[in-house]
Amino acid sequence: MKDVFSYNIDIEKNAYMNWRTHRHDHRLNMITLADGFSSSSITLAKQALSDNHDKKADILIYPILFNANHAIEVYLKAISWSLNILIKTNKEFIKNHSLVDLLNDVKKLVGQFENNAETISYFNEMINPLEKYLDELYSKIETLKSDGKKRYNIDFSRYTLDIKGEPQFYINEFDNVVIDLENFCERFEEIFKQLDSFAMYYLYLEE
């Protein structure tokens, strides 16, 4: 049996993992991975849209959402890392998976770095589609712990049970939990475009 990590004689049938990455530019590597996860999310959604007679969208939606959310996480961490370098905080980024925490950290850092109120306002306007999505998402994945504190099951698209063994929000829902894939593609293409733009801007601004 041929190894998975092996060449095909037809180079168009190969995927080169280190073709777009750089040995000494870890922030650019993060943006490259974020681009991969965001592109795969949109590609899968469009594939399901093009032919869903077998209802493949019902199973593809899990990697579609996982890839979308992971792309957001990596983009925000890359932006945060660049801003921390520009501000000279000696930090990189928040080491957790909370998209809301990461976005709030980025907004705080943008406010510290940018002295121009108009620039900050522009950033907030451009990032607003992401904020609206996160508000919607977190209203779905919020649960209460035994001590009354809120927990957000961001792993909802990876596992059907949360860390406590409880079903994710869509499992026990009586009504259908539905995602409009046309709307998804439209909204996330905008979100990813803005995140990639800011990630590249602050990366090259530092360089």
Side-chain angles (χ1 to χ4, degrees):
M1 183 179 292
K2 185 178 179 182
D3 288 349
V4 171
F5 289 86
S6 61
Y7 280 89
N8 190 300
I9 192 168
D10 182 352
I11 63 170
E12 298 298 325
K13 296 178 180 177
N14 289 323
Y16 298 85
M17 294 186 69
N18 56 349
W19 184 260
R20 301 185 189 210
T21 55
H22 303 270
R23 188 171 298 177
H24 303 295
D25 198 336
H26 302 305
R27 284 174 296 133
L28 184 58
N29 291 342
M30 289 182 74
I31 296 170
T32 298
L33 262 65
D35 180 36
F37 280 101
S38 62
S39 297
S40 65
S41 179
I42 298 296
T43 299
L44 278 175
K46 288 184 174 179
Q47 180 183 343
L49 276 171
S50 68
D51 180 12
N52 195 30
H53 76 277
D54 55 356
K55 297 296 291 173
K56 67 173 67 70
D58 297 346
I59 55 171
L60 290 179
I61 193 59
Y62 303 109
I64 287 170
L65 289 171
F66 174 81
N67 290 347
N69 290 326
H70 193 61
I72 292 169
E73 177 182 340
V74 181
Y75 270 128
L76 290 174
K77 286 181 175 179
I79 296 169
S80 178
W81 196 353
S82 291
L83 283 164
N84 275 311
I85 290 173
L86 288 164
I87 301 170
K88 298 180 172 58
T89 64
N90 295 319
K91 298 178 182 177
E92 293 176 352
F93 46 79
I94 294 175
K95 299 295 196 329
N96 70 35
H97 304 292
S98 169
L99 303 184
V100 169
D101 288 351
L102 289 166
L103 178 57
N104 287 338
D105 186 55
V106 165
K107 290 176 68 176
K108 180 191 74 175
L109 293 169
V110 167
Q112 291 175 4
F113 177 72
E114 303 286 359
N115 296 320
N116 188 312
E118 188 175 331
T119 303
I120 296 172
S121 176
Y122 172 77
F123 176 85
N124 289 332
E125 180 183 345
M126 292 300 99
I127 214 72
N128 185 250
L130 173 59
E131 282 193 293
K132 286 186 174 181
Y133 165 66
L134 293 184
D135 286 345
E136 180 184 359
L137 173 64
Y138 273 58
S139 72
K140 298 283 188 188
I141 64 175
E142 178 184 303
T143 58
L144 288 177
K145 296 191 286 187
S146 58
D147 59 5
K149 292 182 179 179
K150 294 178 181 179
R151 178 174 71 239
Y152 299 95
N153 298 324
I154 196 63
D155 61 353
F156 72 97
S157 57
R158 295 178 63 198
Y159 309 105
T160 58
L161 301 177
D162 67 15
I163 194 170
K164 297 292 186 181
E166 295 295 324
Q168 302 286 10
F169 72 91
Y170 52 87
I171 296 295
N172 291 333
E173 184 64 46
F174 181 77
D175 294 325
N176 288 329
V177 179
V178 185
I179 291 176
D180 177 343
L181 289 177
E182 284 186 328
N183 177 62
F184 174 91
C185 289
E186 181 180 335
R187 290 188 62 185
F188 274 84
E189 282 178 333
E190 179 181 8
I191 288 170
F192 293 146
K193 178 182 177 182
Q194 297 301 341
L195 285 172
D196 189 71
S197 176
F198 284 121
M200 296 304 294
Y201 172 71
Y202 287 115
L203 173 70
Y204 286 122
L205 197 60
E206 185 272 327
E207 291 181 348

